[in-house]
Amino acid sequence: MKTLLEQPGFLAPSGTIGADVSYLLALVFTILFLVAWAMAKKGQGTRHHKLALVSMVSMIVYFCAYYYARQLGVLSFEGREGFGGPDEVYENVFVPVLTIHLILVTLGLILALYMIPLGFRASENTGGDYRLKTGELKMKPRIFKIIMFTILGCWALNQAILLAVRQNPFGASVAYGLIFATIALVVSLEKLIEKLLPDGARRHRIMGRTTMVIFALILVTSTATYLMLYVIYPHKI
Ligand code: HEM
């Protein structure tokens, strides 16, 4: 798989299949999300809900596959060796753009995961049509506790499986620990967000627009990274 991804690409003369496919998919997902935004703006709640859901699920599947295929990382994979430009451009432009890109991708994934349940909680389905409902939207303390204990239980189960099947589970343990901790943090943040934006419909609109803007910025930063690596400053052999 790794060898296939390293084959010459089809978009730019020095690109690779891995880089081209990942860039094209990033483009497709961002466009799908922006179309979902346009649908919401036109008041097409149900079509918006379906498209946001499908794009989100395919984006997560793609990220997992990509993570396994390329062993996480433009930074480690393409690093300094992949960049053929001068040192000042690498340090002052390439690294900051790539760092911002990775931060935005992490934030975008977390926000999208948060937005899906919020979409269902903040809307009501009348006659097969989703509409946002105005009014206070709060998670009940009992539900909050159940969710937190479920996350804890899943983490413990995952730890037990890792210890049973892996020879050296330390790295995987830390990685999964961070993933579960992030999910727990997002659920806890909901308590703070509830105080700042008590109205569910307004919360979905404001958080949703922020998420969409982040997706658009991800496209800008991934385009800049792609252009720098494979078009403007390709690696000289
Ligand atoms: C990644 C996930 C999602 C994002 C980023 C998102 C984003 C947004 C945004 C930005 C708006 C307001 C549009 C505007 O006025 O600018 C909106 C409206 C809306 N969203 Fe979402 N949304 C997501 C998922 C969902 C889901 C899963 C549902 C339903 C279950 C949903 C239901 C709605 C409804 C009903 C509206 C109101 C449309 C109208 O004004 O009639 N959303 N969403």
Side-chain angles (χ1 to χ4, degrees), residues 98-176:
L98 189 55
T99 312
I100 294 172
H101 175 71
L102 293 178
I103 294 172
L104 288 174
V105 167
T106 316
L107 260 178
L109 270 179
I110 294 174
L111 271 171
L113 278 175
Y114 168 80
M115 285 306 299
I116 298 284
L118 180 64
F120 286 104
R121 289 169 63 219
S123 57
E124 59 194 348
N125 190 331
T126 40
D129 226 14
Y130 280 96
R131 306 227 152 269
L132 288 181
K133 48 176 192 242
T134 33
E136 198 182 56
L137 179 71
K138 264 194 161 169
M139 199 191 291
K140 290 191 188 96
R142 208 176 80 85
I143 305 280
F144 180 71
K145 273 191 211 137
I146 293 177
I147 296 180
M148 282 311 210
F149 278 113
T150 311
I151 296 171
L152 191 71
C154 291
W155 170 77
L157 186 71
N158 181 269
Q159 271 305 102
I161 296 174
L162 278 182
L163 287 173
V165 300
R166 292 238 178 164
Q167 295 244 312
N168 181 8
F170 183 73
S173 251
V174 173
Y176 279 110

Side-chain angles (χ1 to χ4, degrees), residues 33 37 39-46 48-49 52-53 56 111-113 115-120 123 130-132 204-205 207-209 211-212 215:
F33 274 112
W37 186 4
M39 286 171 170
K41 268 205 161 311
K42 281 194 227 148
Q44 302 169 338
T46 308
H48 158 77
H49 139 76
L53 208 61
M56 185 62 225
L111 271 171
L113 278 175
M115 285 306 299
I116 298 284
L118 180 64
F120 286 104
S123 57
Y130 280 96
R131 306 227 152 269
L132 288 181
H204 186 82
R205 286 213 164 86
M207 300 294 292
R209 282 175 199 161
T211 312
M212 296 298 193
F215 284 149

Side-chain angles (χ1 to χ4, degrees), residues 17-236:
I17 292 269
D20 289 3
V21 169
S22 98
Y23 178 67
L24 277 185
L25 284 176
L27 190 73
V28 168
F29 291 132
T30 318
I31 292 172
L32 286 182
F33 274 112
L34 295 178
V35 172
W37 186 4
M39 286 171 170
K41 268 205 161 311
K42 281 194 227 148
Q44 302 169 338
T46 308
R47 295 181 72 199
H48 158 77
H49 139 76
K50 283 187 186 146
L51 190 58
L53 208 61
V54 169
S55 336
M56 185 62 225
V57 172
S58 23
M59 195 167 87
I60 290 176
V61 170
Y62 153 69
F63 266 109
C64 295
Y66 186 69
Y67 171 88
Y68 273 105
R70 292 187 81 179
Q71 298 301 319
L72 229 192
V74 219
L75 199 56
S76 53
F77 202 63
E78 315 285 10
R80 184 67 182 97
E81 329 69 274
F83 182 84
D87 284 346
E88 313 89 78
V89 179
Y90 178 73
E91 257 138 50
N92 301 325
V93 184
F94 182 77
V95 172
V97 169
L98 189 55
T99 312
I100 294 172
H101 175 71
L102 293 178
I103 294 172
L104 288 174
V105 167
T106 316
L107 260 178
L109 270 179
I110 294 174
L111 271 171
L113 278 175
Y114 168 80
M115 285 306 299
I116 298 284
L118 180 64
F120 286 104
R121 289 169 63 219
S123 57
E124 59 194 348
N125 190 331
T126 40
D129 226 14
Y130 280 96
R131 306 227 152 269
L132 288 181
K133 48 176 192 242
T134 33
E136 198 182 56
L137 179 71
K138 264 194 161 169
M139 199 191 291
K140 290 191 188 96
R142 208 176 80 85
I143 305 280
F144 180 71
K145 273 191 211 137
I146 293 177
I147 296 180
M148 282 311 210
F149 278 113
T150 311
I151 296 171
L152 191 71
C154 291
W155 170 77
L157 186 71
N158 181 269
Q159 271 305 102
I161 296 174
L162 278 182
L163 287 173
V165 300
R166 292 238 178 164
Q167 295 244 312
N168 181 8
F170 183 73
S173 251
V174 173
Y176 279 110
L178 282 175
I179 293 173
F180 282 106
T182 310
I183 299 174
L185 184 76
V186 175
V187 178
S188 325
L189 271 182
E190 169 66 357
K191 289 267 149 221
L192 177 73
I193 299 170
E194 275 173 5
K195 287 213 172 70
L196 298 174
L197 296 166
D199 184 275
R202 203 167 113 79
R203 195 186 310 159
H204 186 82
R205 286 213 164 86
I206 293 184
M207 300 294 292
R209 282 175 199 161
T210 313
T211 312
M212 296 298 193
V213 169
I214 288 182
F215 284 149
L217 289 176
I218 290 176
L219 186 63
V220 173
T221 47
S222 58
T223 307
T225 312
Y226 183 91
L227 287 178
M228 278 190 271
L229 275 175
Y230 304 108
V231 181
I232 311 173
Y233 302 114
H235 174 54
K236 295 178 193 76

